[in-house]
Amino acid sequence: MFRPQVEGAENIPGTGPVILAGNHVTFIDSIVLPIVCDRQVSFIGKDEYVTGKGLKGRLMAWFFTGVGMIPVDRDGANGGVAALMTGRRVLESGQMFGIYPEGTRSPDGRLYRGRTGVARLTLMTGAPVVPFAVVGTDKLQPGGAGMPRPGKVTVRFGEPMEFSRYEGMDRDRYVLRAVTDSVMAEVMRLSGQEYVDMYATKAKAA
């Protein structure tokens, strides 16, 4: 249906913990990413995706758990910590963890400032970060809602980024920001998106 074209898949290590960090423009990004990866990708999703009622609810739960989504109550008081610890457990077990550093879908197709969770994960676990960009999904599902229409999607993976030089500095906010910004710079290069030095949640609230 999406006819995904993949570039740079060889940049994903075949074994060991890996953080996939990329842009997020529409809902189906989380469907396309697991499709194009040879390895299982685990990622955080809203718990409401697996707690729905009736046939639709059961089908959604079956699908999202099948593609590697781990449900977390991200709206709770400790939602951010729960998501971070979940990612850490996945990585420490030698698996791949997918993350959208923007923290939410882009409200207008531009790339927004990354939150530092991706930096904390790589510094806590030593896992390399493979930046990625999903291009074209916003045209298949404008606004992030409704049934997507068929079309072409490209997924680009960049070269692995490692930050061992900052080992033990996962509580230094300047280091966390520097690591996050370097990852987002690669995502911007891969996606071709315009960058906005503002959190997407703030832009949505404006």
Side-chain angles (χ1 to χ4, degrees):
M1 180 176 179
F2 304 131
R3 296 179 292 168
Q5 177 180 334
V6 185
E7 301 174 7
E10 68 277 4
N11 290 322
I12 302 176
T15 59
V18 179
I19 301 169
L20 298 180
N23 62 334
H24 193 18
V25 292
T26 192
F27 176 78
I28 58 174
D29 296 334
S30 298
I31 298 175
V32 172
L33 184 62
I35 288 175
V36 302
C37 292
D38 289 335
R39 296 178 60 187
Q40 174 80 39
V41 184
S42 297
F43 56 94
I44 296 298
K46 295 179 180 179
D47 58 355
E48 64 191 58
Y49 292 155
V50 298
T51 57
K53 305 295 184 181
L55 178 60
K56 180 182 178 181
R58 291 195 298 272
L59 287 173
M60 287 183 65
W62 169 80
F63 175 80
F64 283 108
T65 54
V67 298
M69 193 199 86
I70 302 172
V72 171
D73 180 9
R74 298 183 305 175
D75 297 326
N78 298 313
V81 174
L84 192 67
M85 292 301 101
T86 298
R88 183 175 185 173
R89 286 195 299 272
V90 169
L91 294 167
E92 289 179 342
S93 66
Q95 300 178 60
M96 289 209 305
F97 184 71
I99 187 172
Y100 302 116
E102 292 169 279
T104 187
R105 293 195 297 268
S106 169
D108 54 17
R110 296 184 294 177
L111 185 70
Y112 283 79
R113 193 181 200 207
R115 296 189 176 275
T116 57
V118 62
R120 292 179 187 277
L121 283 174
T122 186
L123 297 184
M124 286 190 300
T125 65
V129 178
V130 174
F132 73 87
V134 181
V135 181
T137 51
D138 56 329
K139 295 181 176 62
L140 308 189
Q141 195 181 37
M147 286 296 295
R149 49 184 178 237
K152 187 174 182 179
V153 174
T154 300
V155 184
R156 300 189 183 106
F157 295 98
E159 294 184 2
M161 306 173 71
E162 64 89 24
F163 300 95
S164 58
R165 60 192 179 279
Y166 298 125
E167 184 178 359
M169 303 177 72
D170 58 282
R171 294 183 181 275
D172 187 313
R173 63 189 182 97
Y174 296 106
V175 169
L176 293 173
R177 176 45 53 193
V179 170
T180 302
D181 287 348
S182 64
V183 171
M184 296 308 289
E186 276 300 291
V187 174
M188 179 177 67
R189 183 184 67 81
L190 293 166
S191 69
Q193 290 170 281
E194 177 186 349
Y195 179 75
V196 183
D197 193 20
M198 176 194 299
Y199 291 123
T201 49
K202 185 175 180 180
K204 287 182 175 180

